[in-house]
Amino acid sequence: MPHSVKVAPAYPVADGQAHCPIHHVLSYIGNKWAILILRELFQGNRRTNEFLAALPGISTKTLTARLRELERWGLVTRTVFPEVPPRVEYSLTAKGREIQPIMVALSQVGQHWLVHGSPRSAP
Amino acid sequence: MPHSVKVAPAYPVADGQAHCPIHHVLSYIGNKWAILILRELFQGNRRTNEFLAALPGISTKTLTARLRELERWGLVTRTVFPEVPPRVEYSLTAKGREIQPIMVALSQVGQHWLVHGSPRSAP
DNA sequence: CCGAATCCGTGTCGATACTG
DNA sequence: CAGTATCGACACGGATTCGG
């Protein structure tokens, strides 16, 4: 953690596992909405309202907070168009696209669990 | 969801994305500690104290809560040995081992971000 | 009008103390 | 040693308000 300021509220990088790769990625995308936000961006650029429509349950407050984090970490780009009405577009950076293997793995396991009985439907 | 009781506090399966594979997996392992707990179990059976040592920051309350969820969903087995002092061991089920591709992807991206500059260290 | 900031109620989590 | 109970801290959601 190069900065002393708290930039990752989700996963406090503690003690002996700061070097664990899995823990390291989770400190970026392990919070409640990050992966779903990135999932949207893998399908194309998105505006704020489009996120809100695609992610039922998220609040504008949390959405902007997560997008600001992802932007600060270099995973997402925020573009403001000085128009009326105002328009803001978010897109993936090259760094952000690097998590594609994770999205693929998540999608494959999810597909498998949707087709076969999901664990939750087991007795 | 066979039960009417709330078994998945992490990700309320909302509206149009209940069928999304990624959202579906995250409803199981998308919460704060599940993946790190499973990471431990991929390296062998674990006792409660071993989890607490390997996951600095987790509380006994949350640990047992997550383990109970994972057990209920069929990803983890809980074995109680009637000894003194009491001993409880947790292990992965076959269902639990199905998330291995996710762990691999997380580990690889994490490794890459640790070797090259992590996004967080970018300006 | 859209994006975002603010106030407030709620639920989750961590720290501690305690029980079997 | 494993798990529960209580309490304070914090993140999130909903509604409202502001800014451009």
Side-chain angles (χ1 to χ4, degrees), chain A residues 4 26 39 106 108 115:
Chain A
S4 61
L26 291 181
R39 176 198 65 182
L106 285 171
Q108 284 177 351
V115 174

Short mmCIF file of all heavy atoms in Angstrom, two decimals, chain A residues 4 26 39 106 108 115:
data_model
loop_
_atom_site.label_atom_id
_atom_site.label_comp_id
_atom_site.label_asym_id
_atom_site.label_seq_id
_atom_site.Cartn_x
_atom_site.Cartn_y
_atom_site.Cartn_z
N SER A 4 -0.64 6.27 2.47
CA SER A 4 -1.04 6.10 3.86
C SER A 4 -2.51 6.45 4.05
O SER A 4 -3.12 6.06 5.03
CB SER A 4 -0.18 7.00 4.75
OG SER A 4 -0.36 8.36 4.40
N LEU A 26 -8.85 -8.72 -4.43
CA LEU A 26 -10.09 -8.48 -3.72
C LEU A 26 -10.10 -7.10 -3.07
O LEU A 26 -11.15 -6.52 -2.85
CB LEU A 26 -10.32 -9.56 -2.66
CG LEU A 26 -10.61 -10.95 -3.21
CD1 LEU A 26 -10.83 -11.93 -2.07
CD2 LEU A 26 -11.83 -10.91 -4.12
N ARG A 39 -18.65 -5.55 -14.96
CA ARG A 39 -19.36 -6.41 -15.91
C ARG A 39 -20.11 -5.56 -16.93
O ARG A 39 -20.09 -5.85 -18.14
CB ARG A 39 -20.36 -7.29 -15.17
CG ARG A 39 -21.23 -8.14 -16.07
CD ARG A 39 -22.47 -8.65 -15.36
NE ARG A 39 -23.36 -7.53 -14.98
CZ ARG A 39 -24.50 -7.66 -14.31
NH1 ARG A 39 -24.87 -8.85 -13.90
NH2 ARG A 39 -25.23 -6.62 -14.02
N LEU A 106 -15.91 -16.36 -13.40
CA LEU A 106 -17.16 -16.15 -12.65
C LEU A 106 -18.36 -16.56 -13.51
O LEU A 106 -19.29 -17.22 -13.03
CB LEU A 106 -17.28 -14.68 -12.26
CG LEU A 106 -16.41 -14.20 -11.10
CD1 LEU A 106 -16.48 -12.68 -10.97
CD2 LEU A 106 -16.85 -14.85 -9.80
N GLN A 108 -18.45 -18.62 -16.05
CA GLN A 108 -18.52 -20.06 -16.33
C GLN A 108 -19.05 -20.84 -15.13
O GLN A 108 -19.94 -21.69 -15.26
CB GLN A 108 -17.14 -20.58 -16.74
CG GLN A 108 -16.76 -20.19 -18.16
CD GLN A 108 -15.36 -20.64 -18.54
OE1 GLN A 108 -14.60 -21.08 -17.68
NE2 GLN A 108 -15.02 -20.51 -19.82
N VAL A 115 -27.24 -24.08 -14.53
CA VAL A 115 -27.73 -25.23 -15.29
C VAL A 115 -27.97 -26.41 -14.35
O VAL A 115 -29.09 -26.88 -14.19
CB VAL A 115 -26.73 -25.63 -16.40
CG1 VAL A 115 -27.17 -26.91 -17.08
CG2 VAL A 115 -26.60 -24.50 -17.41
#
